[in-house]
Amino acid sequence: MLIHAITPDPVYEFAADIRAGLTKSGQKELPSKYLYDDVGSALFEVISVLPEYGLTRADERLLQRHASDIVGQLPSRVLVAELGSGTGKKTRWVLKALCRRQHTSYYPIEISPTALAMCKRELGDIESMSIVGFEREYLDGLLEVAARRRDGDHLLVLFLGSTIGNFDRPAALTFLRQLRQILLPGDSLLLGTDLEKPIPQLLDAYHDPLGVTAAFNLNLLARINRELDADFILTDFEHAVRFNAEARSVEMHLRSKRAQTVSIPRAELSVNFSADETIWTESSHKYSAEELFDIAQQTGFHCQAQWIDAQWPFAENLFIAE
Ligand SMILES: C[S@@+](CC[C@H](N)C(=O)[O-])C[C@H]1O[C@@H](n2cnc3c(N)ncnc32)[C@H](O)[C@@H]1O
Protein backbone atom coordinates (compact mmCIF):
# COMPACT_ATOMS: atom_id res chain seq x y z
CA MET A 1 0.00 0.00 0.00
CA LEU A 2 1.31 3.44 -0.88
CA ILE A 3 0.77 6.00 1.85
CA HIS A 4 1.14 9.66 0.96
CA ALA A 5 2.29 11.75 3.89
CA ILE A 6 0.84 15.25 3.82
CA THR A 7 3.51 17.59 5.16
CA PRO A 8 2.31 21.05 6.18
CA ASP A 9 3.62 23.89 4.01
CA PRO A 10 5.79 26.01 6.39
CA VAL A 11 5.13 29.27 4.48
CA TYR A 12 1.39 28.64 4.63
CA GLU A 13 1.60 27.96 8.39
CA PHE A 14 3.74 31.05 8.93
CA ALA A 15 1.26 33.19 6.96
CA ALA A 16 -1.70 31.73 8.87
CA ASP A 17 -0.05 32.39 12.26
CA ILE A 18 0.90 35.94 11.26
CA ARG A 19 -2.65 36.60 10.08
CA ALA A 20 -4.12 35.18 13.30
CA GLY A 21 -1.77 37.19 15.51
CA LEU A 22 -2.13 40.52 13.75
CA THR A 23 -5.93 40.36 13.43
CA LYS A 24 -6.53 39.45 17.09
CA SER A 25 -8.86 41.85 18.79
CA GLY A 26 -7.03 43.86 21.45
CA GLN A 27 -3.31 43.21 21.82
CA LYS A 28 -1.64 42.14 18.54
CA GLU A 29 0.68 39.20 19.08
CA LEU A 30 3.16 37.03 17.16
CA PRO A 31 4.47 33.59 18.26
CA SER A 32 8.01 33.85 19.59
CA LYS A 33 9.12 30.72 17.73
CA TYR A 34 9.24 32.82 14.54
CA LEU A 35 12.06 34.94 15.99
CA TYR A 36 14.45 32.11 15.10
CA ASP A 37 15.16 32.19 11.38
CA ASP A 38 18.80 32.28 10.13
CA VAL A 39 19.32 35.88 11.22
CA GLY A 40 17.41 35.46 14.50
CA SER A 41 19.39 32.35 15.51
CA ALA A 42 22.67 34.15 14.77
CA LEU A 43 21.53 37.21 16.77
CA PHE A 44 20.48 35.01 19.70
CA GLU A 45 24.04 33.70 19.85
CA VAL A 46 25.27 37.27 20.26
CA ILE A 47 22.63 37.98 22.93
CA SER A 48 23.89 35.00 24.91
CA VAL A 49 27.32 36.66 25.34
CA LEU A 50 26.09 40.18 26.14
CA PRO A 51 27.19 41.45 29.59
CA GLU A 52 23.55 42.30 30.49
CA TYR A 53 22.25 38.81 29.63
CA GLY A 54 23.66 36.75 32.49
CA LEU A 55 21.22 33.91 31.95
CA THR A 56 23.21 31.79 29.48
CA ARG A 57 26.43 32.12 31.49
CA ALA A 58 24.63 31.09 34.70
CA ASP A 59 23.11 28.09 32.93
CA GLU A 60 26.52 27.08 31.60
CA ARG A 61 28.28 27.58 34.96
CA LEU A 62 25.79 25.20 36.59
CA LEU A 63 26.10 22.59 33.85
CA GLN A 64 29.90 22.77 33.91
CA ARG A 65 30.12 22.60 37.70
CA HIS A 66 27.52 19.91 38.29
CA ALA A 67 27.64 17.75 35.16
CA SER A 68 29.09 14.75 37.00
CA ASP A 69 26.54 15.06 39.79
CA ILE A 70 23.67 15.37 37.28
CA VAL A 71 24.84 12.37 35.30
CA GLY A 72 25.50 10.43 38.51
CA GLN A 73 21.79 10.61 39.32
CA LEU A 74 20.77 8.90 36.07
CA PRO A 75 20.60 5.17 35.42
CA SER A 76 22.84 3.88 32.65
CA ARG A 77 21.94 3.54 28.96
CA VAL A 78 20.68 7.06 28.53
CA LEU A 79 19.38 8.59 25.29
CA VAL A 80 19.50 12.38 25.33
CA ALA A 81 16.91 14.59 23.62
CA GLU A 82 17.33 18.35 23.78
CA LEU A 83 14.37 20.65 23.09
CA GLY A 84 15.35 23.87 21.30
CA SER A 85 19.06 23.05 21.55
CA GLY A 86 20.29 26.23 19.87
CA THR A 87 24.03 25.68 19.27
CA GLY A 88 24.16 23.17 22.14
CA LYS A 89 27.34 24.83 23.43
CA LYS A 90 26.39 24.46 27.12
CA THR A 91 25.16 20.91 26.61
CA ARG A 92 28.73 19.81 25.94
CA TRP A 93 29.36 19.51 29.70
CA VAL A 94 26.52 17.05 30.29
CA LEU A 95 27.23 15.08 27.13
CA LYS A 96 30.93 14.74 27.94
CA ALA A 97 30.12 13.52 31.44
CA LEU A 98 27.72 10.94 29.97
CA CYS A 99 30.16 9.87 27.26
CA ARG A 100 32.80 9.12 29.90
CA ARG A 101 30.62 6.23 31.06
CA GLN A 102 28.76 5.12 27.91
CA HIS A 103 28.37 5.69 24.21
CA THR A 104 25.64 8.32 23.97
CA SER A 105 23.01 9.10 21.35
CA TYR A 106 22.13 12.78 21.33
CA TYR A 107 19.04 14.13 19.55
CA PRO A 108 18.78 17.92 19.32
CA ILE A 109 15.26 19.04 18.35
CA GLU A 110 15.10 22.43 16.68
CA ILE A 111 12.70 24.48 14.66
CA SER A 112 15.64 26.47 13.27
CA PRO A 113 17.75 24.62 10.67
CA THR A 114 20.55 27.16 11.25
CA ALA A 115 20.65 26.39 14.98
CA LEU A 116 20.60 22.67 14.25
CA ALA A 117 23.53 22.99 11.84
CA MET A 118 25.47 25.07 14.42
CA CYS A 119 24.73 22.43 17.07
CA LYS A 120 26.04 19.58 14.94
CA ARG A 121 29.23 21.57 14.26
CA GLU A 122 29.64 22.59 17.90
CA LEU A 123 29.28 19.11 19.38
CA GLY A 124 30.37 16.87 16.53
CA ASP A 125 33.86 16.36 18.04
CA ILE A 126 32.71 14.66 21.26
CA GLU A 127 34.04 11.12 21.36
CA SER A 128 31.68 8.18 21.87
CA MET A 129 28.66 10.17 20.80
CA SER A 130 26.31 10.10 17.82
CA ILE A 131 24.15 13.08 16.90
CA VAL A 132 20.90 12.89 14.98
CA GLY A 133 19.12 16.22 14.71
CA PHE A 134 15.39 16.67 14.21
CA GLU A 135 14.11 19.79 12.52
CA ARG A 136 10.79 19.65 14.34
CA GLU A 137 8.63 21.35 16.94
CA TYR A 138 9.51 20.25 20.48
CA LEU A 139 7.01 17.48 21.12
CA ASP A 140 6.87 16.17 17.55
CA GLY A 141 10.63 15.72 17.74
CA LEU A 142 10.44 14.11 21.18
CA LEU A 143 7.89 11.58 19.92
CA GLU A 144 10.34 10.58 17.20
CA VAL A 145 13.16 10.19 19.68
CA ALA A 146 10.97 8.15 22.03
CA ALA A 147 10.12 5.83 19.14
CA ARG A 148 13.84 4.99 18.85
CA ARG A 149 14.29 3.80 22.41
CA ARG A 150 15.00 0.15 23.02
CA ASP A 151 14.05 -1.87 26.10
CA GLY A 152 16.05 -0.62 29.06
CA ASP A 153 16.92 2.75 27.50
CA HIS A 154 16.38 5.71 29.79
CA LEU A 155 15.42 9.04 28.25
CA LEU A 156 16.99 12.29 29.48
CA VAL A 157 15.24 15.37 28.09
CA LEU A 158 17.11 18.67 28.31
CA PHE A 159 15.15 21.91 28.19
CA LEU A 160 17.75 24.54 29.02
CA GLY A 161 18.14 28.31 28.80
CA SER A 162 14.81 28.91 30.56
CA THR A 163 13.04 28.48 27.23
CA ILE A 164 10.12 27.10 29.29
CA GLY A 165 9.69 30.76 30.37
CA ASN A 166 8.44 31.60 26.86
CA PHE A 167 5.20 29.78 27.74
CA ASP A 168 2.74 31.53 30.03
CA ARG A 169 2.29 29.69 33.33
CA PRO A 170 -0.81 27.63 32.43
CA ALA A 171 0.65 26.78 29.00
CA ALA A 172 3.94 25.72 30.64
CA LEU A 173 2.03 23.27 32.87
CA THR A 174 0.12 21.89 29.87
CA PHE A 175 3.36 21.56 27.91
CA LEU A 176 5.13 19.72 30.74
CA ARG A 177 2.16 17.36 31.15
CA GLN A 178 2.22 16.60 27.40
CA LEU A 179 5.97 16.05 27.59
CA ARG A 180 5.47 13.70 30.57
CA GLN A 181 2.98 11.64 28.53
CA ILE A 182 5.76 10.83 26.06
CA LEU A 183 8.09 9.63 28.83
CA LEU A 184 8.16 6.46 30.92
CA PRO A 185 8.32 6.42 34.72
CA GLY A 186 11.92 7.01 35.81
CA ASP A 187 12.84 9.11 32.73
CA SER A 188 14.35 12.51 33.48
CA LEU A 189 13.92 16.11 32.47
CA LEU A 190 16.66 18.64 33.19
CA LEU A 191 14.84 21.95 33.17
CA GLY A 192 16.72 25.27 33.25
CA THR A 193 14.74 28.12 34.75
CA ASP A 194 15.63 31.76 35.23
CA LEU A 195 14.74 32.97 38.73
CA GLU A 196 13.19 36.25 39.89
CA LYS A 197 15.60 39.12 40.34
CA PRO A 198 15.42 42.93 40.59
CA ILE A 199 13.26 44.39 37.81
CA PRO A 200 15.91 46.85 36.45
CA GLN A 201 18.34 43.95 36.04
CA LEU A 202 15.69 41.94 34.18
CA LEU A 203 14.77 44.83 31.90
CA ASP A 204 18.45 45.48 31.06
CA ALA A 205 18.85 41.83 30.10
CA TYR A 206 16.24 42.26 27.36
CA HIS A 207 17.10 45.82 26.31
CA ASP A 208 20.86 46.00 25.89
CA PRO A 209 22.47 49.32 24.99
CA LEU A 210 24.16 47.83 21.90
CA GLY A 211 20.73 47.14 20.44
CA VAL A 212 21.30 43.44 19.72
CA THR A 213 18.04 42.36 21.37
CA ALA A 214 16.26 45.15 19.50
CA ALA A 215 17.65 43.78 16.23
CA PHE A 216 16.61 40.25 17.24
CA ASN A 217 13.06 41.47 17.85
CA LEU A 218 12.82 43.70 14.76
CA ASN A 219 14.13 40.86 12.62
CA LEU A 220 10.70 39.28 13.00
CA LEU A 221 9.24 42.09 10.89
CA ALA A 222 12.16 41.78 8.45
CA ARG A 223 11.41 38.05 8.22
CA ILE A 224 7.77 38.79 7.40
CA ASN A 225 9.00 41.17 4.68
CA ARG A 226 11.36 38.52 3.28
CA GLU A 227 9.04 35.53 3.41
CA LEU A 228 5.59 37.05 2.97
CA ASP A 229 6.47 40.06 0.77
CA ALA A 230 5.29 42.50 3.45
CA ASP A 231 6.22 46.19 3.47
CA PHE A 232 7.06 46.82 7.14
CA ILE A 233 9.37 49.85 7.37
CA LEU A 234 11.64 48.72 10.18
CA THR A 235 12.57 52.22 11.28
CA ASP A 236 8.87 52.91 11.91
CA PHE A 237 8.88 50.33 14.73
CA GLU A 238 10.94 50.13 17.91
CA HIS A 239 11.85 47.47 20.43
CA ALA A 240 10.15 47.86 23.82
CA VAL A 241 10.31 45.80 27.01
CA ARG A 242 8.08 45.85 30.05
CA PHE A 243 7.82 43.86 33.24
CA ASN A 244 4.43 42.27 33.79
CA ALA A 245 4.25 42.04 37.58
CA GLU A 246 1.14 39.87 37.65
CA ALA A 247 2.59 37.30 35.24
CA ARG A 248 6.14 37.75 36.64
CA SER A 249 7.47 37.99 33.11
CA VAL A 250 9.51 40.30 30.91
CA GLU A 251 7.56 41.07 27.74
CA MET A 252 9.14 42.10 24.46
CA HIS A 253 7.05 44.22 22.13
CA LEU A 254 7.47 46.06 18.82
CA ARG A 255 5.98 49.54 19.06
CA SER A 256 4.64 51.36 16.01
CA LYS A 257 6.09 54.88 16.12
CA ARG A 258 3.21 56.33 14.10
CA ALA A 259 -0.20 55.46 12.70
CA GLN A 260 0.39 53.31 9.62
CA THR A 261 -0.92 50.54 7.42
CA VAL A 262 1.21 47.55 6.49
CA SER A 263 0.44 45.17 3.70
CA ILE A 264 1.37 41.46 3.87
CA PRO A 265 0.36 40.06 0.46
CA ARG A 266 1.27 36.40 1.07
CA ALA A 267 -0.91 36.41 4.19
CA GLU A 268 -3.66 38.22 2.23
CA LEU A 269 -3.62 40.91 4.88
CA SER A 270 -3.47 44.62 5.38
CA VAL A 271 -2.99 45.74 8.99
CA ASN A 272 -3.56 49.13 10.59
CA PHE A 273 -1.43 50.28 13.50
CA SER A 274 -2.20 53.30 15.61
CA ALA A 275 0.68 55.39 16.99
CA ASP A 276 2.26 53.59 19.99
CA GLU A 277 0.33 50.39 19.38
CA THR A 278 2.49 47.31 20.03
CA ILE A 279 2.90 43.76 18.80
CA TRP A 280 3.72 41.42 21.65
CA THR A 281 6.48 39.09 20.43
CA GLU A 282 7.86 37.21 23.45
CA SER A 283 7.48 36.67 27.18
CA SER A 284 10.13 35.36 29.55
CA HIS A 285 8.56 34.19 32.77
CA LYS A 286 10.62 34.14 35.93
CA TYR A 287 10.30 31.61 38.75
CA SER A 288 10.98 31.19 42.44
CA ALA A 289 13.19 28.22 43.26
CA GLU A 290 10.45 26.76 45.49
CA GLU A 291 7.69 26.82 42.89
CA LEU A 292 9.64 24.42 40.68
CA PHE A 293 8.94 21.62 43.19
CA ASP A 294 5.17 22.30 42.85
CA ILE A 295 5.41 22.52 39.08
CA ALA A 296 7.08 19.10 39.03
CA GLN A 297 4.32 17.61 41.17
CA GLN A 298 1.54 19.16 39.13
CA THR A 299 2.89 17.74 35.89
CA GLY A 300 3.66 14.11 36.79
CA PHE A 301 7.26 14.47 37.98
CA HIS A 302 9.11 15.00 41.22
CA CYS A 303 12.01 17.40 41.49
CA GLN A 304 14.89 15.19 42.62
CA ALA A 305 17.59 17.85 42.70
CA GLN A 306 18.05 21.54 42.10
CA TRP A 307 21.24 23.53 41.56
CA ILE A 308 21.21 27.34 41.82
CA ASP A 309 23.78 29.81 40.52
CA ALA A 310 24.81 32.35 43.14
CA GLN A 311 25.96 35.06 40.71
CA TRP A 312 22.83 35.22 38.51
CA PRO A 313 19.87 33.48 40.17
CA PHE A 314 19.10 30.60 37.82
CA ALA A 315 18.08 27.03 38.67
CA GLU A 316 18.83 23.72 37.00
CA ASN A 317 16.05 21.32 38.08
CA LEU A 318 16.24 17.56 37.71
CA PHE A 319 12.67 16.28 37.30
CA ILE A 320 12.03 12.52 37.41
CA ALA A 321 8.87 11.12 35.77
CA GLU A 322 6.63 9.40 38.32
C1 LIG B 1 15.85 30.81 23.87
S1 LIG B 1 16.61 29.84 22.62
C2 LIG B 1 17.55 28.75 23.66
C3 LIG B 1 18.65 28.03 22.95
C4 LIG B 1 19.49 27.13 23.86
N1 LIG B 1 18.71 26.03 24.41
C5 LIG B 1 20.08 27.93 25.00
O1 LIG B 1 19.74 27.65 26.15
O2 LIG B 1 20.88 28.84 24.75
C6 LIG B 1 15.26 28.82 22.11
C7 LIG B 1 15.61 27.81 21.01
O3 LIG B 1 14.45 26.99 20.79
C8 LIG B 1 14.15 26.92 19.40
N2 LIG B 1 12.67 26.84 19.32
C9 LIG B 1 11.77 27.83 19.58
N3 LIG B 1 10.51 27.39 19.47
C10 LIG B 1 10.62 26.07 19.11
C11 LIG B 1 9.67 25.04 18.87
N4 LIG B 1 8.36 25.29 18.96
N5 LIG B 1 10.11 23.80 18.57
C12 LIG B 1 11.46 23.55 18.46
N6 LIG B 1 12.42 24.48 18.69
C13 LIG B 1 12.00 25.72 19.02
C14 LIG B 1 14.72 28.19 18.79
O4 LIG B 1 15.05 28.01 17.44
C15 LIG B 1 15.94 28.46 19.67
O5 LIG B 1 17.11 27.90 19.13
PDB file of all heavy atoms in Angstrom, residues 128-144:
ATOM      1  N   SER A 128      32.691   9.142  21.380  1.00  0.00           N
ATOM      2  CA  SER A 128      31.682   8.180  21.868  1.00  0.00           C
ATOM      3  C   SER A 128      30.278   8.757  21.840  1.00  0.00           C
ATOM      4  O   SER A 128      29.489   8.466  22.737  1.00  0.00           O
ATOM      5  CB  SER A 128      31.972   7.747  23.320  1.00  0.00           C
ATOM      6  OG  SER A 128      33.056   6.967  23.369  1.00  0.00           O
ATOM      7  N   MET A 129      30.013   9.612  20.860  1.00  0.00           N
ATOM      8  CA  MET A 129      28.656  10.168  20.803  1.00  0.00           C
ATOM      9  C   MET A 129      28.174  10.227  19.360  1.00  0.00           C
ATOM     10  O   MET A 129      28.933  10.555  18.457  1.00  0.00           O
ATOM     11  CB  MET A 129      28.650  11.580  21.392  1.00  0.00           C
ATOM     12  CG  MET A 129      27.244  12.089  21.597  1.00  0.00           C
ATOM     13  SD  MET A 129      27.232  13.738  22.284  1.00  0.00           S
ATOM     14  CE  MET A 129      27.471  14.720  20.832  1.00  0.00           C
ATOM     15  N   SER A 130      26.909   9.897  19.153  1.00  0.00           N
ATOM     16  CA  SER A 130      26.313  10.101  17.821  1.00  0.00           C
ATOM     17  C   SER A 130      25.249  11.189  17.940  1.00  0.00           C
ATOM     18  O   SER A 130      24.576  11.300  18.969  1.00  0.00           O
ATOM     19  CB  SER A 130      25.707   8.800  17.303  1.00  0.00           C
ATOM     20  OG  SER A 130      24.765   8.337  18.227  1.00  0.00           O
ATOM     21  N   ILE A 131      25.154  11.998  16.894  1.00  0.00           N
ATOM     22  CA  ILE A 131      24.154  13.079  16.897  1.00  0.00           C
ATOM     23  C   ILE A 131      23.199  12.856  15.737  1.00  0.00           C
ATOM     24  O   ILE A 131      23.634  12.683  14.593  1.00  0.00           O
ATOM     25  CB  ILE A 131      24.779  14.485  16.677  1.00  0.00           C
ATOM     26  CG1 ILE A 131      25.916  14.759  17.642  1.00  0.00           C
ATOM     27  CG2 ILE A 131      23.724  15.570  16.789  1.00  0.00           C
ATOM     28  CD1 ILE A 131      26.477  16.179  17.540  1.00  0.00           C
ATOM     29  N   VAL A 132      21.906  12.872  16.048  1.00  0.00           N
ATOM     30  CA  VAL A 132      20.895  12.886  14.984  1.00  0.00           C
ATOM     31  C   VAL A 132      19.960  14.042  15.300  1.00  0.00           C
ATOM     32  O   VAL A 132      19.299  14.039  16.346  1.00  0.00           O
ATOM     33  CB  VAL A 132      20.101  11.560  14.925  1.00  0.00           C
ATOM     34  CG1 VAL A 132      19.017  11.629  13.850  1.00  0.00           C
ATOM     35  CG2 VAL A 132      21.028  10.384  14.662  1.00  0.00           C
ATOM     36  N   GLY A 133      19.959  15.049  14.445  1.00  0.00           N
ATOM     37  CA  GLY A 133      19.119  16.223  14.709  1.00  0.00           C
ATOM     38  C   GLY A 133      17.747  16.065  14.094  1.00  0.00           C
ATOM     39  O   GLY A 133      17.583  15.407  13.068  1.00  0.00           O
ATOM     40  N   PHE A 134      16.757  16.659  14.751  1.00  0.00           N
ATOM     41  CA  PHE A 134      15.388  16.669  14.212  1.00  0.00           C
ATOM     42  C   PHE A 134      14.946  18.104  14.014  1.00  0.00           C
ATOM     43  O   PHE A 134      14.886  18.869  14.982  1.00  0.00           O
ATOM     44  CB  PHE A 134      14.406  15.978  15.175  1.00  0.00           C
ATOM     45  CG  PHE A 134      14.568  14.489  15.216  1.00  0.00           C
ATOM     46  CD1 PHE A 134      15.305  13.890  16.210  1.00  0.00           C
ATOM     47  CD2 PHE A 134      13.991  13.691  14.241  1.00  0.00           C
ATOM     48  CE1 PHE A 134      15.467  12.511  16.252  1.00  0.00           C
ATOM     49  CE2 PHE A 134      14.152  12.306  14.268  1.00  0.00           C
ATOM     50  CZ  PHE A 134      14.888  11.721  15.273  1.00  0.00           C
ATOM     51  N   GLU A 135      14.639  18.452  12.775  1.00  0.00           N
ATOM     52  CA  GLU A 135      14.105  19.792  12.524  1.00  0.00           C
ATOM     53  C   GLU A 135      12.593  19.715  12.729  1.00  0.00           C
ATOM     54  O   GLU A 135      11.832  19.481  11.786  1.00  0.00           O
ATOM     55  CB  GLU A 135      14.459  20.219  11.100  1.00  0.00           C
ATOM     56  CG  GLU A 135      14.255  21.697  10.870  1.00  0.00           C
ATOM     57  CD  GLU A 135      14.428  22.059   9.407  1.00  0.00           C
ATOM     58  OE1 GLU A 135      15.377  21.580   8.771  1.00  0.00           O
ATOM     59  OE2 GLU A 135      13.574  22.811   8.911  1.00  0.00           O
ATOM     60  N   ARG A 136      12.184  19.857  13.959  1.00  0.00           N
ATOM     61  CA  ARG A 136      10.790  19.650  14.341  1.00  0.00           C
ATOM     62  C   ARG A 136      10.414  20.604  15.473  1.00  0.00           C
ATOM     63  O   ARG A 136      11.272  21.144  16.147  1.00  0.00           O
ATOM     64  CB  ARG A 136      10.593  18.236  14.912  1.00  0.00           C
ATOM     65  CG  ARG A 136      10.842  17.117  13.979  1.00  0.00           C
ATOM     66  CD  ARG A 136       9.633  16.805  13.104  1.00  0.00           C
ATOM     67  NE  ARG A 136       9.885  15.597  12.366  1.00  0.00           N
ATOM     68  CZ  ARG A 136      10.675  15.476  11.304  1.00  0.00           C
ATOM     69  NH1 ARG A 136      11.298  16.532  10.833  1.00  0.00           N
ATOM     70  NH2 ARG A 136      10.856  14.309  10.712  1.00  0.00           N
ATOM     71  N   GLU A 137       9.113  20.702  15.711  1.00  0.00           N
ATOM     72  CA  GLU A 137       8.634  21.350  16.938  1.00  0.00           C
ATOM     73  C   GLU A 137       8.967  20.411  18.101  1.00  0.00           C
ATOM     74  O   GLU A 137       9.100  19.196  17.918  1.00  0.00           O
ATOM     75  CB  GLU A 137       7.123  21.561  16.850  1.00  0.00           C
ATOM     76  CG  GLU A 137       6.712  22.472  15.722  1.00  0.00           C
ATOM     77  CD  GLU A 137       6.272  23.861  16.184  1.00  0.00           C
ATOM     78  OE1 GLU A 137       6.164  24.099  17.399  1.00  0.00           O
ATOM     79  OE2 GLU A 137       6.055  24.700  15.306  1.00  0.00           O
ATOM     80  N   TYR A 138       9.020  20.995  19.311  1.00  0.00           N
ATOM     81  CA  TYR A 138       9.510  20.245  20.481  1.00  0.00           C
ATOM     82  C   TYR A 138       8.918  18.832  20.617  1.00  0.00           C
ATOM     83  O   TYR A 138       9.623  17.849  20.654  1.00  0.00           O
ATOM     84  CB  TYR A 138       9.172  20.985  21.788  1.00  0.00           C
ATOM     85  CG  TYR A 138       9.705  22.386  21.908  1.00  0.00           C
ATOM     86  CD1 TYR A 138       8.848  23.438  22.239  1.00  0.00           C
ATOM     87  CD2 TYR A 138      11.057  22.666  21.724  1.00  0.00           C
ATOM     88  CE1 TYR A 138       9.321  24.729  22.387  1.00  0.00           C
ATOM     89  CE2 TYR A 138      11.540  23.960  21.868  1.00  0.00           C
ATOM     90  CZ  TYR A 138      10.664  24.993  22.198  1.00  0.00           C
ATOM     91  OH  TYR A 138      11.133  26.272  22.342  1.00  0.00           O
ATOM     92  N   LEU A 139       7.592  18.765  20.745  1.00  0.00           N
ATOM     93  CA  LEU A 139       7.005  17.477  21.123  1.00  0.00           C
ATOM     94  C   LEU A 139       6.929  16.515  19.943  1.00  0.00           C
ATOM     95  O   LEU A 139       7.011  15.296  20.133  1.00  0.00           O
ATOM     96  CB  LEU A 139       5.622  17.675  21.768  1.00  0.00           C
ATOM     97  CG  LEU A 139       5.659  18.474  23.085  1.00  0.00           C
ATOM     98  CD1 LEU A 139       4.268  18.583  23.705  1.00  0.00           C
ATOM     99  CD2 LEU A 139       6.629  17.877  24.108  1.00  0.00           C
ATOM    100  N   ASP A 140       6.823  17.051  18.729  1.00  0.00           N
ATOM    101  CA  ASP A 140       6.866  16.174  17.546  1.00  0.00           C
ATOM    102  C   ASP A 140       8.232  15.490  17.489  1.00  0.00           C
ATOM    103  O   ASP A 140       8.338  14.291  17.226  1.00  0.00           O
ATOM    104  CB  ASP A 140       6.661  16.977  16.246  1.00  0.00           C
ATOM    105  CG  ASP A 140       5.256  17.547  16.156  1.00  0.00           C
ATOM    106  OD1 ASP A 140       4.376  17.065  16.893  1.00  0.00           O
ATOM    107  OD2 ASP A 140       5.043  18.489  15.357  1.00  0.00           O
ATOM    108  N   GLY A 141       9.272  16.277  17.755  1.00  0.00           N
ATOM    109  CA  GLY A 141      10.631  15.716  17.743  1.00  0.00           C
ATOM    110  C   GLY A 141      10.797  14.695  18.857  1.00  0.00           C
ATOM    111  O   GLY A 141      11.379  13.623  18.659  1.00  0.00           O
ATOM    112  N   LEU A 142      10.270  15.018  20.032  1.00  0.00           N
ATOM    113  CA  LEU A 142      10.441  14.112  21.177  1.00  0.00           C
ATOM    114  C   LEU A 142       9.737  12.773  20.918  1.00  0.00           C
ATOM    115  O   LEU A 142      10.248  11.714  21.301  1.00  0.00           O
ATOM    116  CB  LEU A 142       9.907  14.783  22.454  1.00  0.00           C
ATOM    117  CG  LEU A 142      10.198  14.045  23.748  1.00  0.00           C
ATOM    118  CD1 LEU A 142      11.703  13.825  23.944  1.00  0.00           C
ATOM    119  CD2 LEU A 142       9.624  14.807  24.945  1.00  0.00           C
ATOM    120  N   LEU A 143       8.590  12.833  20.260  1.00  0.00           N
ATOM    121  CA  LEU A 143       7.886  11.580  19.924  1.00  0.00           C
ATOM    122  C   LEU A 143       8.769  10.719  19.027  1.00  0.00           C
ATOM    123  O   LEU A 143       8.840   9.498  19.198  1.00  0.00           O
ATOM    124  CB  LEU A 143       6.576  11.898  19.188  1.00  0.00           C
ATOM    125  CG  LEU A 143       5.379  12.234  20.090  1.00  0.00           C
ATOM    126  CD1 LEU A 143       4.229  12.818  19.254  1.00  0.00           C
ATOM    127  CD2 LEU A 143       4.906  10.985  20.838  1.00  0.00           C
ATOM    128  N   GLU A 144       9.472  11.354  18.101  1.00  0.00           N
ATOM    129  CA  GLU A 144      10.339  10.581  17.196  1.00  0.00           C
ATOM    130  C   GLU A 144      11.517   9.978  17.944  1.00  0.00           C
ATOM    131  O   GLU A 144      11.924   8.857  17.686  1.00  0.00           O
ATOM    132  CB  GLU A 144      10.830  11.468  16.050  1.00  0.00           C
ATOM    133  CG  GLU A 144       9.691  11.886  15.153  1.00  0.00           C
ATOM    134  CD  GLU A 144      10.152  12.315  13.770  1.00  0.00           C
ATOM    135  OE1 GLU A 144      11.118  11.732  13.241  1.00  0.00           O
ATOM    136  OE2 GLU A 144       9.533  13.248  13.236  1.00  0.00           O
TER     137      GLU A 144
END
